[in-house]
């Protein structure tokens, strides 16, 4: 695989253009084209410069190979990377703007029992430019004139963002760079299964992004049943790291809590969750589990989900039950890629 131009920030593009013996102003043309989601071969450049760039860099680091459109307007994409690996992403429309969910790794090695992304383990990390390119191509698809197509980003696709720390931080800087696609860090949420040491590092980056932690249980032993990472980091350590994040960045934090039938959503769990989180500057995002066909875990009934929600709210927590967008077009994280892989296998046999 060749290098990827989208890995470079503006300064680095300028250095490259100068190294290739071109005038400095070419850097802006090139950078603007890239930020508009164009391939090198589509950007208005001299033939000579284009040739030099194509010798060294991938023309198209990422390509949408399949789009599924849900009745609620949600779009799911399968992307093919330059080395043939497949990742997926989601585009959701809300009143306040359009949110894109990006992947940070091909596969994942965290091993959560309810998640399809981790079924085949981690294949590789994505580069910062591969993460950015997901945003650039989807933004290009949805932008209207000068109005951005993507206004918000969540790092909640396949992969554990803090397990690919440096590339993810570079992505966060480049996607929020002025003069680029310039999405405000305040409109970006990073979700982690709770890699505590990296949560402390993230607080020091000077990036006021929203931090989301996948909690899904109220005790360490129960959490370890579905999330192997619980054997490494305790809930108490996660809560301390969240408090530190708030202290350093001033940002409230969010907990994801997927309601799994018979596992984590009776009144005892509601009580424990209230005891853990009461008075903290946080929000709880409930979601009924998206059932993954390779896994035996089942979603809580809708009625039970609303009962759980009202217990949390009565207990003084800020909590909402998230609607399951796009459930008709491919369900949970990683399912699309997994079913694509299965299809390819069936075709080959
Ligand atoms: N690795 C990161 C981000 C990716 S997953 C993390 O663990 O947070 C984004 C969110 O979807 C996480 O909260 C994850 O726990 C949740 N998730 C994964 N599979 C799910 C499923 N089948 N149903 C509901 N939520 C799921």
């Amino acid at each position: 695989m060749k290098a990827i131009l989208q890995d470079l920030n503006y300064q680095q593009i300028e250095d490259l253009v100068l190294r290739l013996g071109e005038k400095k102003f070419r850097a802006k043309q090139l950078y603007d084209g890239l930020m508009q989601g164009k391939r090198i071969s589509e950007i208005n450049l001299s033939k000579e410069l284009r040739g030099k760039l194509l010798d060294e860099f991938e023309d198209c680091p990422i390509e949408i190979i399949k789009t599924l459109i849900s009745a609620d307007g949600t779009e799911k994409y399968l992307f093919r990377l330059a080395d043939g690996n497949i990742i997926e992403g989601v585009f959701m429309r809300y009143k306040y703007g359009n949110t894109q969910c990006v992947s940070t790794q091909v596969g994942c090695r965290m091993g959560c029992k309810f998640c399809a992304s981790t079924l085949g383990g981690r294949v590789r990390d994505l580069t910062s430019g591969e993460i950015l390119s997901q945003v650039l191509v989807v933004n290009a698809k949805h932008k209207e004139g000068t109005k951005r197509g993507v206004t918000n980003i969540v790092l909640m696709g396949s992969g554990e963002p803090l397990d690919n720390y440096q590339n993810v931080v570079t992505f966060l800087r480049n996607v929020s760079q002025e003069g680029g696609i310039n999405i405000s860090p305040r409109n970006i949420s990073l979700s982690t299964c709770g890699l505590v040491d990296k949560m402390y590092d993230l607080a020091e980056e000077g990036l006021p992004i929203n931090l989301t932690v996948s909690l899904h249980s109220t005790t360490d032993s129960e959490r370890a049943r579905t999330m192997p990472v619980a054997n490494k980091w305790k809930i108490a350590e996660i809560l301390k790291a969240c408090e530190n994040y708030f202290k350093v960045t001033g940002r409230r934090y969010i907990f994801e809590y997927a309601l799994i039938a018979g596992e984590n959503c009776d009144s005892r769990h509601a009580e424990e969750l209230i005891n853990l989180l009461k008075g903290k500057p946080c929000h709880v995002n409930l979601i009924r589990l998206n059932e993954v066909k390779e896994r035996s875990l089942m979603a809580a009934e809708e009625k039970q989900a609303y009962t759980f929600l009202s217990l949390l709210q009565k207990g003084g927590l800020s909590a909402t039950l998230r609607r399951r967008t796009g459930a008709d077009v491919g369900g949970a994280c990683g399912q699309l890629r997994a079913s694509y892989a299965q299809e390819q296998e069936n075709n080959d046999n």
Side-chain angles (χ1 to χ4, degrees), residues 114-115 155-157 159-161 191-193 214 216 256 258 287-290 292 332-333:
F114 42 77
C115 180
L155 284 75
M156 293 192 186
E160 166 50 49
S191 180
T192 177
C193 62
S214 302
H216 305 321
E256 294 281 320
I287 183 168
R288 286 169 59 224
L289 184 79
N290 271 309
V292 173
C333 308

Side-chain angles (χ1 to χ4, degrees), residues 101-105 108 110 112-117 154-163 190-195 212-216 223 227 229 255-260 285 287-292 295 297 299 322 324 331-335:
C101 174
V102 297
S103 292
T104 54
Q105 295 176 317
C108 182
M110 295 297 121
C112 300
K113 294 276 188 299
F114 42 77
C115 180
S117 298
V154 294
L155 284 75
M156 293 192 186
S158 297
E160 166 50 49
L162 298 186
D163 187 38
L190 181 150
S191 180
T192 177
C193 62
L195 301 185
T212 297
V213 178
S214 302
L215 192 59
H216 305 321
R223 192 162 187 260
M227 300 182 73
V229 70
F255 293 103
E256 294 281 320
Y257 198 98
L259 300 166
I260 309 174
N285 236 334
I287 183 168
R288 286 169 59 224
L289 184 79
N290 271 309
E291 288 163 11
V292 173
R295 308 288 204 191
L297 299 169
R322 196 145 51 105
R324 296 196 287 187
C333 308
Q335 276 184 330

